Amino acid sequence: MGHTASDPATTAATASALDTALVLGTALAPVVARGVIIRRPRAVALAEKADADRLLVRTLQRLRSRYGTAPLRLAVPGRSVVLVLDDADVHRVLAGSPEPFATTTPEKRGALGHFQPHGVLISHGADRADRRRFNESALDTDRPLHHLAEPMVAVVREEAHALLAEADRTGVLDWDAFGKAWMRIVRRVALGDSARDDRELTELLARLRAAGNWSFAHPRRRDLREEFLQRLRQQLEKAEPGSLAAAAADAPTSPRTHPVEQVPQWLFAFDPAGLAAFRALALLAGHPAEQRAVADDLADRDPSRPHDLPLLRAAVLESVRLWPTTPAILRETTTTTRLGERVLPAKTLVVVLTPFFHRDDERLPYADRFAPAIWQDGSARESLSLVPFSAGPAVCPGQNLVLLLTSTLLAALLQHHEVALTSRPRLYPGRRIPGTLNPYGLRFSVARRPS
Ligand code: HEM
């Protein structure tokens, strides 16, 4: 007798070739086309037109109703691949990382090996434990306010004021200005003030990341990688006070750590953080009551001090829930592994497509609404599959730092100013939030708030 979807503790049911093609076509292909390692703005704009992530949600909902919630094997030749469709399984996979669900997969090694072959994300076993410790120490993973929050907040506010001065002059805030200001913040926070205008370093990494988008399909660019890592090493050696480079210099290392190769991930992961902050600004612009609540909350705070800003942190969390910047979390089984009611062979690629879980309107009453309250009233935590920063032992170690920097930047922008969206699509209360929102096309009007 063959296995069917209802057999307990058996191998996973397999999607038909047609359904597999549907998943690959509507879910995976658009994710890959937009660029996994670095975004391709034109593809992002097309994805917005096609409402790509909404299509993904519909496709996976259809598969779930056809095959059930157990992990679903895709009919991919030459590779064992399962799609996770149940939120308890999302939790099991992430809680069971890195053993038996390894974070490193051939696909990720192909992509990230271009510039950080010893990065923690593609490390396993003792190497991973060592590099994870280094990352957690430098990024202060468990603390809402990094121990260098004070100098970091000063940097963010300085750059925000320059950005606002420009917006005050033109009355407009767009990605061109915001993105440049953000990258200056990132270089100063990560590497120190002397790196503020080192756009070449960002550019070198962008070229390596563009190769990374093609994973194994792109030839390795060893000369470029060496040049990049050499420049990065020199900058890190300065350990400029107040920067992550200084925190890294104080973090525990061993011959396994390869500290310089942990840093490209920090630099490139700050990109989606900037996009998330800009989309959070769009959410607040479209929801005046929430924007007002933020301004009221800021009124009594000393802006020069670091603060845990729950309303703005929740807005950024909503931004990455609604538009996850890591839409595909991949794991690979290290051995024959039980997942829920199914048994997966070793070396099975386990795929968690977060837009499906974050926007599943058959389960979540707030799926397509701006609902920052869920991050404060415990409902996001209760749900096992709202995982914009992943979860479990391999959770993003930069989450708190991202929320500190983005909330501080938004606070600086909104404390004395009001923003409104002038680009389309418009966002407003009561309207379904679009599945995909192209951040590069956002434009805001900015006006000083009457005091
Ligand atoms: C909006 C911003 C960000 C989001 C949504 C995000 C999300 C994530 C997610 C989902 C993962 C898990 C990926 C996987 O397991 O395949 C991850 C891993 C990681 N992130 Fe972030 N991240 C962000 C920014 C950052 C920043 C700014 C840093 C560093 C400064 C950072 C450092 C890392 C590191 C080192 C890992 C690998 C952790 C490990 O494998 O143990 N991230 N991030």
Side-chain angles (χ1 to χ4, degrees):
M1 201 179 95
H3 296 302
T4 68
S6 59
D7 287 346
T10 184
T11 51
T14 304
S16 69
L18 195 67
D19 283 335
T20 299
L22 204 65
V23 173
L24 297 181
T26 64
L28 285 180
V31 166
V32 173
R34 273 177 271 167
V36 177
I37 303 298
I38 187 164
R39 294 286 181 273
R40 302 183 176 109
R42 226 167 310 150
V44 175
L46 281 177
E48 180 183 84
K49 278 225 168 70
D51 211 359
D53 284 359
R54 181 140 188 95
L55 223 59
L56 181 155
V57 174
R58 288 285 166 266
T59 300
L60 267 59
Q61 285 175 337
R62 211 168 310 139
L63 290 188
R64 179 175 56 194
S65 68
R66 186 167 302 163
Y67 298 96
T69 58
L72 180 64
R73 179 186 298 277
L74 298 181
V76 178
R79 183 99 165 98
S80 171
V81 182
V82 297
L83 199 58
V84 175
L85 293 171
D86 181 60
D87 63 334
D89 286 342
V90 172
H91 173 75
R92 289 185 185 110
V93 167
L94 298 179
S97 303
E99 203 56 80
F101 296 103
T103 60
T104 173
T105 73
E107 293 76 10
K108 281 194 242 179
R109 282 195 298 277
L112 299 176
H114 284 275
F115 49 89
Q116 49 177 27
H118 300 97
V120 62
L121 189 51
I122 49 173
S123 305
H124 198 68
D127 283 343
R128 154 166 278 278
D130 178 283
R131 294 164 191 170
R132 177 85 198 177
R133 187 168 55 241
F134 171 82
N135 273 275
E136 288 191 2
S137 165
L139 302 174
D140 247 350
T141 297
D142 294 329
R143 293 172 55 165
L145 303 181
H146 192 280
H147 68 275
L148 297 174
E150 215 155 305
M152 288 175 179
V153 164
V155 164
V156 173
R157 290 182 54 78
E158 215 175 287
E159 299 295 345
H161 289 147
L163 179 64
L164 270 177
E166 194 181 326
D168 271 337
R169 206 163 20 89
T170 59
V172 173
L173 178 61
D174 63 7
W175 174 255
D176 192 46
F178 185 93
K180 283 185 182 137
W182 177 252
M183 288 318 291
R184 285 193 288 269
I185 291 172
V186 169
R187 285 189 296 263
R188 290 178 69 182
V189 164
L191 303 173
D193 289 346
S194 73
R196 178 182 189 263
D197 297 312
D198 192 354
R199 283 195 301 273
E200 251 179 65
L201 189 71
T202 309
E203 192 46 43
L204 266 176
L205 179 57
R207 282 164 65 193
L208 288 164
R209 291 168 63 192
N213 272 349
W214 296 97
S215 193
F216 286 121
H218 200 289
R220 290 269 190 271
R221 309 183 66 172
R222 281 194 201 289
D223 295 354
L224 206 60
R225 181 171 94 195
E226 276 322 304
E227 186 187 344
F228 168 72
L229 289 176
Q230 185 53 28
R231 287 184 61 155
L232 187 57
R233 189 172 297 117
Q234 283 165 359
Q235 185 67 38
L236 289 172
E237 276 165 5
K238 295 189 205 163
E240 288 183 28
S243 70
L244 290 178
D250 290 338
T253 58
S254 80
R256 291 177 188 277
T257 314
H258 296 270
V260 176
E261 284 190 40
Q262 307 311 316
V263 179
Q265 170 109 18
W266 303 352
L267 292 176
F268 89 72
F270 272 123
D271 262 18
L275 298 175
F278 206 46
R279 281 189 288 226
L281 192 64
L283 287 169
L284 291 165
H287 295 80
E290 279 79 0
Q291 191 180 160
R292 216 167 307 119
V294 165
D296 290 346
D297 178 59
L298 294 171
D300 303 328
R301 296 182 190 265
D302 172 359
S304 62
R305 310 261 335 135
H307 296 285
D308 181 351
L309 300 166
L311 298 181
L312 285 168
R313 284 182 178 235
V316 175
L317 285 164
E318 271 300 83
S319 168
V320 284
R321 174 181 73 85
L322 293 162
W323 303 292
T325 55
T326 309
I329 300 182
L330 306 179
R331 294 289 182 264
E332 190 177 86
T333 52
T334 54
T335 178
T336 305
T337 300
R338 194 182 166 130
L339 178 56
E341 293 174 355
R342 296 287 180 260
V343 176
L344 312 177
K347 291 199 182 309
T348 294
L349 180 68
V350 180
V351 181
V352 176
L353 292 173
T354 54
F356 168 60
F357 293 98
H358 293 187
R359 293 284 204 117
D360 184 1
D361 57 357
E362 292 174 1
R363 283 182 40 249
L364 307 175
Y366 48 79
D368 295 318
R369 279 196 291 115
F370 175 46
I374 63 168
W375 298 98
Q376 298 177 272
D377 66 11
S379 34
R381 218 169 317 118
E382 256 165 51
S383 152
L384 298 172
S385 54
L386 296 187
V387 287
F389 286 93
S390 185
V395 65
C396 175
Q399 171 169 357
N400 266 320
L401 179 63
V402 167
L403 295 178
L404 168 68
L405 298 176
T406 53
S407 64
T408 303
L409 174 57
L410 293 173
L413 296 179
L414 294 173
Q415 188 153 33
H416 301 297
H417 289 76
E418 214 167 73
V419 295
L421 260 181
T422 56
S423 56
R424 294 194 180 276
R426 293 284 156 78
L427 306 175
Y428 45 83
R431 180 176 189 194
R432 184 179 70 73
I433 302 270
T436 305
L437 183 73
N438 172 17
Y440 307 110
L442 295 176
R443 277 171 80 83
F444 300 88
S445 63
V446 180
R448 279 194 84 82
R449 203 181 292 281
S451 47

